[in-house]
Amino acid sequence: MIFTVVKGKVDTNGKSLDLKWELLPKCNMKDPLYHVHPEAIETYHILEGEMEFFIKDKWVKAKKGDKLKVDIGVKHAFRNPTDQIVKVYNTHEPALDMEDYFEDVCRVAELAKNPKTSKVSMKNIKTLLLFGKLMSNYRREIIAVNPPDILVRTLGVLANLIGTAYKKSS
């Protein structure tokens, strides 16, 4: 995925974080992160292509022109099952520290890359610990539902205990 900040929390006085996404073909097809935003509403406007969203309890298809809203606390995920790039305008209201979260996702992914393959595997213990630490740092912004939050929090605690960390955005 490629995320571009259109308006950050500074630009909107914290009211929203506005992003443009490019979801690469087959993005999130394996083990998408089912999650909730405990304090924010998230909206999606499909600018180009087709993709799928899991909202509450089912997958729904969305195509160019469609707009979706995910209310506070509603379980959701997304994926691009197509062979085309999908472009999306995404907002988080309020912004909270979601911009920092996205920056830290990139930091964690870089730290978790296998040096030989340049791929990230969620079956690697270092990756799981970094993911747990990341998610522990942003509990107001995002909480995992699947994998279960208790597992993710436990991984975050373990990461702290054994010193697996990354430099958090400020």
Side-chain angles (χ1 to χ4, degrees):
M1 293 184 285
I2 300 167
F3 297 97
T4 304
V5 175
V6 177
K7 293 180 192 170
K9 68 180 177 181
V10 172
D11 303 314
T12 66
N13 293 320
K15 291 180 183 171
S16 70
L17 170 65
D18 296 31
L19 304 163
K20 278 192 179 176
W21 296 359
E22 289 187 37
L23 277 73
L24 302 177
K26 307 298 182 193
C27 175
N28 273 357
M29 290 305 294
K30 185 177 180 189
D31 302 324
L33 175 63
Y34 295 85
H35 62 280
V36 298
H37 300 291
E39 298 183 32
I41 294 168
E42 187 170 16
T43 59
Y44 304 91
H45 180 195
I46 313 305
L47 304 173
E48 187 176 303
E50 296 181 10
M51 63 184 292
E52 296 175 343
F53 292 89
F54 184 91
I55 301 176
K56 201 180 293 185
D57 60 0
K58 65 182 176 183
W59 285 100
V60 294
K61 291 184 179 191
K63 62 185 184 319
K64 181 179 178 178
D66 288 349
K67 295 179 182 180
L68 292 95
K69 177 182 171 190
V70 179
D71 287 319
I72 291 171
V74 173
K75 177 181 172 182
H76 62 287
F78 55 87
R79 63 188 181 194
N80 175 6
T82 74
D83 292 323
Q84 305 296 317
I85 291 175
V86 177
K87 294 184 180 181
V88 180
Y89 195 91
N90 172 248
T91 61
H92 292 261
E93 300 174 80
L96 303 170
D97 287 331
M98 206 63 194
E99 189 172 349
D100 294 339
Y101 167 79
F102 285 119
E103 287 179 21
D104 284 0
V105 166
C106 295
R107 281 190 176 91
V108 165
E110 197 59 39
L111 288 169
K113 272 186 190 174
N114 180 316
K116 293 179 184 176
T117 64
S118 292
K119 292 187 178 183
V120 175
S121 170
M122 290 306 283
K123 294 183 174 150
N124 178 296
I125 189 65
K126 179 181 177 186
T127 303
L128 292 171
L129 292 168
L130 286 164
F131 173 72
K133 180 65 178 163
L134 167 74
M135 297 300 282
S136 295
N137 285 336
Y138 292 98
R139 299 223 18 106
R140 288 186 66 208
E141 289 74 22
I142 185 167
I143 295 176
V145 174
N146 188 10
D149 181 51
I150 186 71
L151 175 60
V152 173
R153 283 188 290 142
T154 301
L155 289 167
V157 170
L158 285 172
N160 283 336
L161 289 174
I162 65 172
T164 301
Y166 67 94
K167 185 170 172 28
K168 183 179 182 285
S169 293
S170 49

